[in-house]
Amino acid sequence: MSTEGLSLNLGTVRRQWNLRQAVEACARHGIAGAAPWRDQVAETGVGEAKSVFAANGIRVTGYCRGGMFAATDAAGRQAAIDDNKRMIDEAAELGAECIVMIGGGLPAGSRDLAAARAMFAEGLAAVLPHARAARVPLALEPMHPMYAADRGCISTLAEMNDLCDALGDGLGVAIDTYHVWWDPNLAREIARAGSRIIGHHICDWLVPTRHLLTDRGMMGDGIIDFVAIRRMIEAAGYRGVQEVEIFSDHWWSRPGDEVLRVVMERFRTVCQA
Amino acid sequence: MSTEGLSLNLGTVRRQWNLRQAVEACARHGIAGAAPWRDQVAETGVGEAKSVFAANGIRVTGYCRGGMFAATDAAGRQAAIDDNKRMIDEAAELGAECIVMIGGGLPAGSRDLAAARAMFAEGLAAVLPHARAARVPLALEPMHPMYAADRGCISTLAEMNDLCDALGDGLGVAIDTYHVWWDPNLAREIARAGSRIIGHHICDWLVPTRHLLTDRGMMGDGIIDFVAIRRMIEAAGYRGVQEVEIFSDHWWSRPGDEVLRVVMERFRTVCQA
């Protein structure tokens, strides 16, 4: 199988390469797309980043990451909304195919997850007209429940599908195997998501997992059944890229070209069937 | 408020004290009950353990832990069933008020969570007549999804409620705040569980959490809203003890009497309202 359906989340090689080096490496290895993080784009400059992607013929399959609307007060919530609007403008300039949006954590001192979730919904509603006008789809990404307190208060695809139902056009979902593999309702919610699926990220869950943030696994090194999840997602109608997103002290310590060789080999041998 | 509704899971002080020392400490501190682990009972002997609890006037509020029926082959599954039956006999001899049952992880080499979940249901069905005959309730405990691969393939209270529906009398659920705080369906599923709630464990989620197994938090040190969850559980009709179960390199390194003093103070100031 080819790797034409492969994209690289640039967080995977953020310690080895800057944006230009990483995008050039994608072109060199025959990877079709890449998804930069906001700090990587800021370091390079939005206009220059756009040129680098264009010059190398690399699609910008996503832009990481927005959302995180919960804050302790109204001023903080408005600041998050304003910042998300700026990010939408950057995504439009870059030609990013979507922005990945996560729930964000609890505001400082809060123990009220329901309130944080409500603030996420309110923030989304506030930026959605801006995103529609800019023609930048927002890909709502549920995060593994171990991040619910400090990164992603929305843990299930069901909740993100509910938000798509409630708020309408301009929203989709991003399904990252690392975040959803455990979900007993995964098959049902992938089928429900259907054409709303606009992102499919791949990363393995290691046993044991030694760190909550930086011990994610290369496909094949853990326990996720990539083929089974890919089949569900394709049965729902998705035909887009699979984006490799691995945060790992191990892989960050390896030469970038080695990481990309292993990514491509595993994509062929583990993620296709 | 008193601490008469408090029980101590003996895993909380397993590095400081053996079973006798821990049970005597519960009596000294005015803690009503305790829940030993199987290795702690084995070290002491079942008959001797029973005598220690009786002599100190300490209830055996639970016995940890059974379940974990998934295995690579039929012989392995039968061995798990046989072992759970032995554990039921031990619980009956101890006078334990329930056995805590967890899903168990994936069998070696497997990536099939659905199959592991089915093996848990089959194992439960196989031991349930034995548990009913011994009058030992089985408390089904969903575990946090970060344990789904290697400890508890059943992550949600909804799934455990479904198993109670399917398999009937002799089953209940144990609700541990550490495992369920993130669940968007928690309120609904606690109300649904109703009189099936036979265990309520308390432990906080720290931010950041530095280790998946041994960085659990003392109540009040993390982000869990204990009062909100307790109110849901009491509204469902539960009137039993709250069992403190904290696995923590920090608290294991402190003198046992200090741990119990802090547990009791936090139980009064953080868990009551």
Side-chain angles (χ1 to χ4, degrees):
Chain A
M1 301 280 297
S2 80
T3 51
E4 64 184 16
L6 181 62
S7 174
L8 180 71
N9 184 291
L10 297 190
T12 306
V13 289
R14 67 157 54 250
R15 293 196 194 161
Q16 294 94 329
W17 287 327
N18 65 23
L19 185 143
R20 174 185 295 275
Q21 293 167 322
V23 170
E24 289 173 353
C26 287
R28 193 162 66 239
H29 285 264
I31 292 175
W37 284 65
R38 209 168 172 204
D39 64 294
Q40 296 173 312
V41 169
E43 182 191 61
T44 306
V46 180
E48 178 67 13
K50 177 186 170 72
S51 300
V52 169
F53 280 103
N56 286 280
I58 300 294
R59 292 165 54 189
V60 185
T61 59
Y63 189 30
C64 295
R65 59 192 184 180
M68 303 172 281
F69 293 107
T72 50
D73 57 20
R77 290 192 287 279
Q78 187 60 49
I81 288 167
D82 294 342
D83 192 53
N84 272 273
K85 287 182 180 173
R86 283 191 294 274
M87 188 180 180
I88 289 165
D89 296 337
E90 294 162 20
E93 184 174 350
L94 283 169
E97 295 171 20
C98 67
I99 291 179
V100 176
M101 308 283 273
I102 62 171
L106 293 164
S110 171
R111 293 181 166 85
D112 191 343
L113 266 178
R117 289 166 179 154
M119 287 188 252
F120 179 70
E122 288 159 15
L124 264 187
V127 304
L128 192 52
H130 195 80
R132 287 176 183 145
R135 299 182 184 277
V136 176
L138 306 180
L140 310 184
E141 183 176 53
M143 294 189 79
H144 192 283
M146 71 183 174
Y147 301 124
D150 52 355
R151 275 170 181 75
C153 64
I154 305 203
S155 306
T156 64
L157 186 53
E159 295 168 275
M160 292 306 195
N161 278 334
D162 288 345
L163 283 168
C164 289
D165 282 347
L167 298 174
D169 284 347
L171 299 180
V173 296
I175 300 172
D176 185 323
T177 56
Y178 190 78
H179 293 307
V180 304
W181 63 273
W182 61 273
D183 185 348
N185 300 317
L186 185 60
R188 180 188 79 197
E189 294 298 325
I190 286 175
R192 177 183 165 205
S195 62
R196 286 168 175 159
I197 303 171
I198 56 177
H200 176 193
H201 303 177
I202 53 178
C203 175
D204 214 342
W205 180 276
L206 300 178
V207 176
T209 292
R210 284 163 297 195
H211 193 280
L212 277 76
L213 293 173
T214 60
D215 195 30
R216 299 191 188 183
M218 182 65 64
M219 299 81 72
D221 289 343
I223 55 75
I224 292 178
D225 186 339
F226 289 95
V227 170
I229 295 178
R230 186 180 62 79
R231 283 182 178 154
M232 292 180 208
I233 289 175
E234 292 191 350
Y238 181 76
R239 295 290 178 269
V241 294
Q242 295 182 56
E243 177 185 315
V244 175
E245 183 182 33
I246 303 170
F247 308 149
S248 159
D249 287 324
H250 170 73
W251 292 107
W252 282 327
S253 77
R254 307 301 307 163
D257 283 303
E258 175 189 327
V259 175
L260 291 203
R261 278 193 301 272
V262 177
V263 160
M264 294 182 71
E265 183 211 329
R266 297 295 180 85
F267 183 68
R268 287 191 202 95
T269 57
V270 174
C271 302
Q272 325 264 353
Chain B
M1 302 280 298
S2 80
T3 50
E4 64 183 17
L6 181 62
S7 174
L8 180 70
N9 184 290
L10 298 190
T12 307
V13 289
R14 67 158 55 249
R15 294 200 194 158
Q16 294 95 329
W17 287 326
N18 65 22
L19 185 144
R20 175 185 294 276
Q21 294 167 321
V23 170
E24 289 174 352
C26 287
R28 194 161 69 238
H29 285 264
I31 292 174
W37 282 66
R38 209 168 173 204
D39 65 294
Q40 297 173 312
V41 169
E43 181 190 62
T44 306
V46 180
E48 178 68 11
K50 178 187 170 76
S51 300
V52 169
F53 281 103
N56 287 280
I58 299 294
R59 292 165 53 188
V60 186
T61 60
Y63 190 28
C64 295
R65 56 193 185 182
M68 302 172 281
F69 294 106
T72 49
D73 57 21
R77 291 191 287 278
Q78 187 59 50
I81 288 167
D82 294 342
D83 192 53
N84 272 272
K85 288 182 180 173
R86 282 191 295 274
M87 188 181 180
I88 290 165
D89 295 337
E90 295 162 19
E93 184 174 350
L94 283 169
E97 296 170 20
C98 67
I99 291 179
V100 176
M101 308 282 274
I102 62 172
L106 294 164
S110 171
R111 294 182 165 86
D112 190 343
L113 267 178
R117 289 167 178 153
M119 287 188 251
F120 179 70
E122 289 159 16
L124 266 187
V127 303
L128 193 51
H130 196 80
R132 286 176 184 145
R135 299 182 182 278
V136 175
L138 305 180
L140 310 184
E141 182 176 54
M143 293 189 81
H144 192 283
M146 70 183 175
Y147 301 124
D150 52 354
R151 277 171 180 74
C153 63
I154 305 203
S155 306
T156 64
L157 186 53
E159 295 168 274
M160 291 307 194
N161 278 333
D162 288 346
L163 283 169
C164 290
D165 282 347
L167 297 174
D169 283 348
L171 298 180
V173 296
I175 301 173
D176 185 323
T177 57
Y178 190 79
H179 293 306
V180 304
W181 64 274
W182 61 272
D183 185 347
N185 300 319
L186 185 59
R188 182 188 77 197
E189 294 298 325
I190 287 176
R192 177 183 165 205
S195 63
R196 287 169 174 158
I197 302 171
I198 57 177
H200 176 193
H201 303 177
I202 52 177
C203 174
D204 214 341
W205 180 277
L206 300 178
V207 176
T209 291
R210 286 163 296 194
H211 193 281
L212 278 75
L213 293 173
T214 61
D215 195 30
R216 300 191 188 183
M218 181 66 65
M219 299 82 72
D221 290 343
I223 54 77
I224 292 178
D225 186 340
F226 289 94
V227 171
I229 295 178
R230 185 179 63 79
R231 284 182 178 155
M232 292 179 208
I233 289 176
E234 292 190 350
Y238 181 77
R239 295 291 177 271
V241 295
Q242 294 181 56
E243 177 184 316
V244 175
E245 183 181 36
I246 303 171
F247 308 149
S248 160
D249 287 323
H250 171 73
W251 292 107
W252 281 327
S253 77
R254 307 301 307 163
D257 283 303
E258 175 189 329
V259 175
L260 292 202
R261 278 194 301 274
V262 176
V263 160
M264 295 183 71
E265 183 211 330
R266 298 294 179 85
F267 184 68
R268 288 190 201 94
T269 58
V270 174
C271 302
Q272 324 264 351

